[in-house]
Amino acid sequence: MTDSTIRLSDYRPYPFEIDQVELRFCLAPQATRVHARLTISPSEAGHPLRLDGEELRLISARIDGAALTGSDYLLSKTGLTIHPAALPEGRFTLETEVEIAPESNTALEGLYMSKGMYCTQCEAEGFRKITFYPDRPDVMAPFRVRIEGAQPVLLSNGNPVASGDGWAEWDDPWPKPAYLFALVAGDLREVAGEFTTMEGRKVHLGIWVREGDEDRCDFALEALIRSMEWDEAVWGRAYDLDIFNLVAVDDFNMGAMENKGLNIFNSKLVLASPETATDLDYERIEAVIGHEYFHNWTGNRITCRDWFQLCLKEGLTVYRDQSFTADVRKGAVKRIDDVMALRARQFREDQGPLAHPVRPDAYIEINNFYTATVYEKGAELIGMLRTLIGDAAWERGKSLYFDRHDGQACTIEDWLSVFEAASGRDLAQFKRWYTDAGTPRLIWSESWQDGRFTLTFRQSTAPTPGQPDKAPRVIPIRVALLRANGGEALPEQVLELTEARQSFTFDGLAARPVPSVLRGLSAPVMLEAEADTPDHRAFLFAHDTDPFNRWEAGRALAREALEALAQGAAPSTARPFIDAFGALLADPAPEPSFRALCLALPGDDEIGKSLFDKGITPDPQAIHAARMALTRALGEAHEPALTRLYADNALDGAFSPAAEDAGKRALRLACLRYLTALDGGALALAHFEAATNMTDQIGALGLLIAAGKGAAPSAAFYERFKGDRLVMDKWFMAEVAYAPPETAPERAAELAAHPLFDWKNPNRFRALLGGLAANQAGFHRADGAGYRFYADWLIRLDPLNPQTAARMSTAFETWARFDADRQAKIRAELHRISTLEGLSRDLSEMTARLLG
Ligand code: B3K
Ligand code: ZN
């Protein structure tokens, strides 16, 4: 890497403490004045005072009231450095005034404007675009903020102190790093609520939205209250201010942000009504509201020492939000959803050129490390830790973490050491999960001899960029042994694999058991059996007492069938799966949401990865064709059962977003997919026309588009919803994601010229480009049209919004899977991007890593 690389090993504490921050904002779109008064104490004499600052026009700087002269400081493109000689010996105040132009801020980082409203995004390093400050998470200080502006609503962190016409003051007593600063000003409407904490504190809850959106906030407010209750009940953590505000904004680079007392959200993760939001939207809204709220303790009260420790707050908070959803919805189904997402995003990342450890040790642009590895694999490590040390030690360790570290900026070492103390275990080998990239491959085999059953495991991890050699990790493997006629011969237990190769024996069994291995995906590894048969999988799919492994067995059968078909095998190869599918349809026991998951086929990307894992070059078009063929074959084989399930799960009465009803809708749509392959879309059209909620409507529309029958319903959908920006995102996405692959790049290009394609809005940009990337066979069309279109748009977006452009470039991370011709085409596009003049740091780091 280049010399702009930031390294963990270079970490040094900041040589000053900031005792108090006082900020005054005079808002104006092109010339906002920010006055900052910092009370500073040197912790060690003789250091220059280094403050970060970018794109700021410095108006004045004073120390203890005296203006600095030119020789006292150095001003550069990245900050302000005040010479030690210009600093008083003890505590002093630094006052600066700067001017910024929020209206011209298209990067959506720092203070910017979205539809006439001022808002901020400071994580990771946006505060330096607001004022001069040590913009690093280990500098924590109480903030007091005064906002002056013509907007009716003026919000910041903490508690409101005073306000008048055109001004408001806020005080946040909890010391916080600058990345948690927030300010919002605009013409907003409040949907208010109230919560009393277990400590008896009355908290005012406010959801702030634009006029007209007030009636879409009830679910978000309920979700917030559920989150607050859950964090008290399960983690013993209560809220710590008198007010909690949450604002919805339309232009936002990500999902949401946990600013202290003032969460800012992408409006798609707040606003919901049955007509406009799908069941998945409802579930995500609840999960993300929970996630940001949970950050108040895991992230805000205890924060990260430096950005290398990002997983300290993110992995843990994802773990918390996943547990929350599992508790308030259906735990087994939630685990399956999480594992599907982990494999689709994190395993894919871990296997490609962007692979990095959960705790990286070098970066150029930290925004490029808000990844599935840091977040989702980070969460898996927390779950694994709990499995390894057991619930009692886990509970003790959690309490110790909050007792010991409240108010501090911490490291992964701090985190692990509380669990070492609580469990009495040495977690040195476990720590490799944080420092070593790559997904271990775990191969198992079994033997049965003289009444003794043996399970043998081998683990290995392929080299990843910068890490050629990998030592064995500790892997908790949940295992149960099943009886051949159903039921458990040996209940579930955890085996601890610590060596590269290790065997575990089981005695006292009356007959040879059937093992159910790695239940719940008890470690983020790729499991393979030395010798596995469709019979073993079909048995587990029908009889495993663990719902996760039951689903997993069916998934593997489906994957194998698709892989074989994609390589030209005879249709009869799919027989074991088609029969097992039928057995599941006939089994009355599984509840609808679980059954819906078992009936869905793996996506094209999953098949592509799986073939590549086996050393086979995937052909995206053949995979797509295989999925079509298998869908049809399943429909033909099981039409009566599918028709019956579809009919039996119809809902009437008022819409409820609760898991129960959502499961039935998901199951009906799963059945509808197969029935559409048979009738060409008649039933799907009826479903679309009768739909009274967005789940049914967009679900059916997607099937119709894919069946080539989308023109009329899509036009009707467009007419009905063209005034609704969130629904229009869904339309843009569906039009490309489900388009026939042969024409997907052309459809994307057509839509890019559509008057509603507001490409500067990240949601709309992601809808169109994300839709194309989701259409694997279309994106990877052999002539490279998909790649070219995609790269053109990254190039166009980069100068305005580098963060989103860099994020979207991950669509190219799988290039090494494909044939030489596709590889060359993708690499040529990446090369074209990487050699552009003036390319952002964000996108140039990404293209360099992607090219390897
Ligand atoms: N912490 C923010 C993400 C900030 C991303 C900066 N590029 C949201 C979250 O994880 O809760
Ligand atoms: Zn987070």
Side-chain angles (χ1 to χ4, degrees), residues 67 80 147 171 189 238 255 275 282 431 444 516 542 552 577 620 707 733 806 840 843:
L80 177 68
I147 313 169
D171 181 65
R189 301 299 134 98
E275 297 74 35
Y282 276 100
K431 193 177 166 190
W444 67 278
S516 167
E552 180 87 304
F577 175 63
M733 162 80 90
S840 69
L843 191 52

Side-chain angles (χ1 to χ4, degrees), residues 538-561:
F539 175 85
L540 294 179
F541 190 36
H543 301 294
D544 202 315
T545 50
D546 175 48
F548 179 89
N549 266 18
R550 194 174 170 188
W551 165 81
E552 180 87 304
R555 189 78 168 182
L557 276 176
R559 204 163 40 228
E560 283 155 11

Side-chain angles (χ1 to χ4, degrees), residues 457-573:
F457 296 91
R458 283 184 290 132
Q459 62 162 306
S460 62
T461 306
T464 54
Q467 294 186 333
D469 304 311
K470 311 276 184 180
R473 306 185 197 180
V474 51
I475 300 180
I477 307 171
R478 282 188 199 278
V479 169
L481 301 182
L482 306 176
R483 288 199 196 92
N485 52 2
E488 291 176 357
L490 201 75
E492 182 173 300
Q493 54 177 280
V494 179
L495 308 177
E496 245 182 78
L497 180 72
T498 54
E499 311 291 328
R501 184 179 194 285
Q502 212 171 328
S503 293
F504 301 85
T505 55
F506 305 87
D507 292 309
L509 296 159
R512 180 177 190 139
V514 182
S516 167
V517 180
L518 201 72
R519 291 179 144 199
L521 193 81
S522 54
V525 300
M526 296 186 278
L527 183 69
E528 265 171 51
E530 200 130 87
D532 208 357
T533 60
D535 286 351
H536 177 231
R537 298 200 192 287
F539 175 85
L540 294 179
F541 190 36
H543 301 294
D544 202 315
T545 50
D546 175 48
F548 179 89
N549 266 18
R550 194 174 170 188
W551 165 81
E552 180 87 304
R555 189 78 168 182
L557 276 176
R559 204 163 40 228
E560 283 155 11
L562 286 167
E563 286 165 17
L565 294 175
Q567 293 175 86
S572 61
T573 332

